[in-house]
Amino acid sequence: MLNKLILFLLVLFLGVASAYGGQLVVSDAAITTGIVNQMPVDRQAAFPADYGKLYCFTRISGAVGDTMITHVWYYQEQEMARVSLSVRSSDWRTYSSKRFLPQWSGQWRVAVLDGDMNEIDSIPFELK
């Protein structure tokens, strides 16, 4: 029975890895006001400028072994924060957070970079 389980898990792992060719893919992403049980509590495109702190949630698919992604927080295309995050399986949820000052209203985005620093996604939002 144990051998069948190991074989099943191996086939499942190889199937997911080959589906993405070992490339990281952002299969879900959100800017949110909170994270509960590794999931975003809401998904919004605009927030009050005085809200204080927001989270960038990402679900990463296609990792083969341990790797890293980076969330880069941009305000009007100026880098404001950079957070490196571990990815430890072929289906991994992770997040970073950023505190905001009320005067930072305007266009924001979080760029998601793979381990080679290639941008694999970008999540725009606005502080009003």
Side-chain angles (χ1 to χ4, degrees), residues 12-126:
L12 180 65
F13 173 77
L14 291 174
V16 169
S18 66
Y20 294 106
Q23 294 181 353
L24 299 183
V25 174
V26 178
S27 55
D28 190 15
I31 303 299
T32 181
T33 58
I35 303 287
V36 174
N37 295 324
Q38 289 295 105
M39 293 297 292
V41 297
D42 54 13
R43 295 166 182 266
Q44 299 181 42
F47 303 87
D50 63 354
Y51 193 81
K53 182 178 181 180
L54 295 173
Y55 298 83
C56 177
F57 164 86
T58 49
R59 184 173 190 159
I60 306 298
S61 301
V64 178
D66 287 357
T67 189
M68 300 288 286
I69 63 165
T70 302
H71 287 176
V72 185
W73 295 76
Y74 289 98
Y75 171 53
Q76 299 176 352
E77 293 308 310
Q78 178 183 348
E79 184 176 322
M80 301 295 281
R82 182 175 286 252
V83 182
S84 295
L85 301 161
S86 295
V87 176
R88 295 193 175 117
S89 76
S90 63
D91 185 18
W92 190 261
R93 294 174 290 184
T94 191
Y95 62 89
S96 64
S97 64
K98 174 80 180 102
R99 292 196 178 276
F100 299 91
L101 297 175
Q103 60 265 32
W104 292 346
S105 62
Q107 298 299 313
W108 283 78
R109 73 181 180 99
V110 178
V112 182
L113 310 179
D114 65 13
D116 294 325
M117 296 298 131
N118 298 309
E119 187 171 312
I120 58 174
D121 203 359
S122 182
I123 306 106
F125 66 99
E126 184 177 6

